Every structure is written in C-alpha cells, then in structure tokens.
Amino acid sequence: MVIRSQIAGCGSYLPQRIVTNHDLEKHVDTTDAWIVERSGIRQRHVAAEGENTSDLAFEAAKAALANAGISADELDLIILATATPDHTFPATAARVQARLGMTRGFAFDLQAVCSGFIYALATADNFIKAGQVKTALVIGAETFSRILDWNDRGTCVLFGDGAGAVVLKAGEGQGTSADRGILSSHLHSDGRHYDLLYVDGGPSSTKSTGFVRMKGNEVFRHAVVNMAEVVGEALVANGLTSSDIDWVVPHQANIRILEGTAKKLAIAKERMVITVERHANTSAASIPLALAEAVADGRIKKGQLLLLEAMGGGFTWGACLVRY
Ligand code: UT7
C-alpha cells in the first residue's frame, strides 16, 4: 500500500469583465488577426478595480470545496500559487485561509510563475505522502492585468486574470499507474534564463511592483523543447506512453506551443483541454481553470489519466501525471 493524493474536487473563477482583441486594438498598435494568428487568443478576463488575487482565489476555493463536498475546517493545508499576491507579505494564502474560516493547519504562497500550479501540486503531494497532511487545497490565482505595461503590445495582449483550485485528499493505492491520484511529478528550473521573462520591479530591487517583460520568441523556442522533455520524463517514470494519456491539461500560453507539444508527443489535439482562446495566459491559474472546466462539462471522467504540464519565468517547468 502507498499513499496517493487524490483529487476530490475542482473549482474555478473568472472575473466578469471580458476584454476582446478588438478592445485592445483601440489602445495599442495591434490587430485581432495578429493576436489570433500568433497566440490563438481572442479574449481575456480582467479583474475589476478593487478585485484582488485573494478574491479570485477565494471564489475558486469555495467552488472546489463545494465540489469535493467538504468544509474548510477539514483542510490541513492551503498552497496558493501566484506571482501577483495582494501584498508583498503576508501570503495571499493566509487571507484566503481566514476568509474560508479555516483556523487550524497552515497556508502559504508559492512562486513559480506560470509553472506555479504544478509546483504547488507537487508540494502538496509531498506533504500528503509524508503523512503530515491529509487534506490540502491547491490554488492557482493571478491578476496579471495589474503587472502589464498596457503600452507594450508584445506582452499586454497575451495575459488574463483568473483562478482555479483543487482539493487533494490522502487515499491509498497499490503503487502502480492504475492507482487514483497523483502518480508522479517532475519539476525543473534553469535560472540562467531569468532575463527572458521577468518583472522589472520588486520590493528588494526597485521598491515598486514593475511590469512583465518578455523576449517572447526566445521563450517560445525553449517552451516546446522543455515541455516535450518533461512529459517524456513523466511517462518513462510510470512505464507509460503518450497513447495511455486520456487528457493533456497544459498551461495555456500560446496555441502554437500547445500544437507543437502535441505534435512532438504524437498526441491528438482533440485530447488537449484548450482554453487559451477565451482565457489567454492566466499564469498559475491556467491549468486549474482548464481542469475545472473539463471536469464540469464531463470531458474528464473518473479513472482517466491526465497529464498536467507548464513552463514559465525562471525558467521553471514541470509535469504531473494524475489518475483522476
Ligand atoms: O507563460 C509563460 C511562457 N510564455 C510564453 O510561453 C510566451 C511564448 N511566446 C509567444 O507566445 C510568442 O513568442 C508571442 C505570441 C509572444 C510572439 O509571437 P512571435 O511569433 O514569436 O513574434 P515575435 O515576438 O517574433 O514578433 C514578430 C513581430 C515583431 O515585429 P518585427 O520586429 O518583425 O517587425 C513584433 O514587433 O510582431 C510584432 N508584434 C506585434 N504586432 C502586432 C509583437 N507584438 C505584436 C502585437 N501586435 N501585439
């Protein structure tokens, strides 16, 4: 018998306001045609004034707890993956913990930008496997609209706001890939690429928040290679092949990265959950948003094998194989 972290529920939240590519055409030198052709994005949700990352995270958390049929006082741990916290400190997770009415256990933020949800899932899984935690809430929540330079057409058209969450519960398995739960997670980073995707501000360097800066085409080049490599690593570790995967739930940065990865792995595009056209890149929120959507509409079913994968600033990248 081995301990397995099993997904007991998922939830998500998107701010009400939708900004289309045509809306952006009025503010920056861009076109709907360019954005769709280069990224696959057609629209993004943007948080209202006064609506913060903790508000988005709280809504997604409530939905995930309801879906799991548990209350917040059953949680031992909250990990909130975000690069856009409400404040420099305390952790936005602490705010969510208080709003949920959870007064025991512990809560913290985790920062791995667009790979944040994969890193958070792996971290929660390890707490569960170590026996320290029985029930964990893992959230990815972002308000990237607050760190975009709305005059920089190379970045402002690509990102959106949103949140997604999953409840993990300790269960048992036989130690095979037929077990329900997280089968394995694979994390990587390479800090030599820090300057290809970063925010040009921060409390220690500039005492300001700063804006996203990206050398998009160089990030793109690394993304397809890193994704394919880490997915291969996850499959080999479990004695599986890409034909065993029922659904790929990828980080949603660019439709061309998703198509490139699908091609490299010989996985049909129809087996990918794709939300990038409606959500744009919501960083740490994109995977749990896509997961919650495909679970809610019945595409993802109990017992199916899911591959979650992401790449982001740092660079960071990683993958998790999960039997839902
Ligand atoms: O989530 C974390 C990871 N992030 C990513 O994975 C993002 C990865 N990168 C990308 O998705 C793509 O590189 C972009 C969508 C950002 C850009 O696509 P690209 O095909 O790599 O274009 P490019 O950056 O090479 O730029 C091509 C041209 C440039 O003009 P010149 O120099 O060729 O005259 C840009 O100035 O497109 C221009 N351009 C735009 N034109 C219209 C850049 N942004 C825009 C824009 N509208 N919004």
Side-chain angles (χ1 to χ4, degrees):
M1 265 330 166
V2 297
I3 300 175
R4 291 289 193 192
S5 309
Q6 297 172 341
I7 297 183
C10 323
S12 64
Y13 176 79
L14 287 162
Q16 249 175 15
R17 184 172 159 226
I18 291 173
V19 174
T20 65
N21 293 348
H22 293 294
D23 294 330
L24 292 177
E25 282 175 350
K26 295 173 199 143
H27 301 288
V28 280
D29 180 17
T30 190
T31 60
D32 172 60
W34 189 95
I35 302 170
V36 172
E37 190 198 313
R38 298 294 176 115
S39 72
I41 297 164
R42 292 181 187 275
Q43 61 168 55
R44 69 286 294 141
H45 290 250
V46 173
E49 205 167 320
E51 191 178 33
N52 297 334
T53 295
S54 64
D55 299 310
L56 276 49
F58 174 62
E59 293 300 332
K62 269 199 311 189
L65 289 171
N67 186 243
I70 67 163
S71 63
D73 53 22
E74 290 173 62
L75 291 173
D76 304 311
L77 166 67
I78 298 176
I79 307 180
L80 196 163
T82 189
T84 47
D86 287 13
H87 295 106
T88 301
F89 78 82
T92 302
R95 211 169 220 184
V96 175
Q97 180 190 25
R99 282 187 70 184
L100 288 173
M102 172 189 166
T103 51
R104 51 174 210 90
F106 58 109
F108 63 92
D109 287 0
L110 185 150
Q111 156 66 292
V113 211
C114 298
S115 311
F117 188 75
I118 297 287
Y119 270 58
L121 210 57
T123 306
D125 180 39
N126 281 319
F127 273 114
I128 288 174
K129 285 195 299 205
Q132 196 173 346
V133 153
K134 290 258 181 292
T135 307
L137 178 66
V138 181
I139 310 171
E142 303 276 17
T143 46
F144 254 58
S145 61
R146 304 276 154 71
I147 55 165
L148 293 175
D149 174 352
W150 289 96
N151 297 312
D152 175 9
R153 67 178 185 172
T155 52
C156 77
V157 303
L158 301 173
F159 295 90
D161 300 338
V166 303
V167 174
L168 291 179
K169 273 184 136 178
E172 281 181 348
Q174 305 297 320
T176 73
S177 64
D179 292 347
R180 271 201 65 224
I182 297 175
L183 300 180
S184 68
S185 51
H186 306 267
L187 305 182
H188 295 275
S189 69
D190 185 347
R192 287 174 299 173
H193 304 297
Y194 195 96
D195 295 338
L196 294 182
L197 174 50
Y198 71 108
V199 167
D200 62 3
S204 176
S205 59
T206 62
K207 294 184 266 174
S208 65
T209 308
F211 296 113
V212 175
R213 304 295 173 205
M214 176 166 75
K215 294 204 176 83
N217 44 14
E218 293 192 47
V219 178
F220 187 100
R221 217 163 30 81
H222 284 277
V224 179
V225 176
N226 289 349
M227 292 308 23
E229 268 179 24
V230 75
V231 170
E233 185 186 324
L235 290 171
V236 167
N238 291 279
L240 297 168
T241 67
S242 59
S243 60
D244 295 310
I245 297 169
D246 293 299
W247 290 102
V248 182
V249 189
H251 170 51
Q252 314 275 328
N254 185 319
I255 191 72
R256 291 186 294 136
I257 296 179
L258 303 189
E259 288 168 350
T261 308
K263 204 169 153 200
K264 262 197 156 137
L265 296 165
I267 293 174
K269 206 179 139 190
E270 292 66 39
R271 282 159 56 204
M272 277 191 163
V273 180
I274 297 175
T275 58
V276 67
E277 70 273 28
R278 285 170 292 116
H279 300 170
N281 181 346
T282 57
S283 182
S286 82
I287 291 176
L289 269 165
L291 182 66
E293 187 173 293
V295 166
D297 68 22
R299 268 177 292 173
I300 292 179
K301 296 179 179 60
K302 278 254 151 67
Q304 287 189 326
L305 185 68
L306 314 183
L307 173 77
L308 280 44
E309 43 101 331
M311 141 116 193
F315 288 150
T316 53
W317 66 102
C320 285
L321 268 173
V322 184
R323 191 164 297 283
Y324 184 69

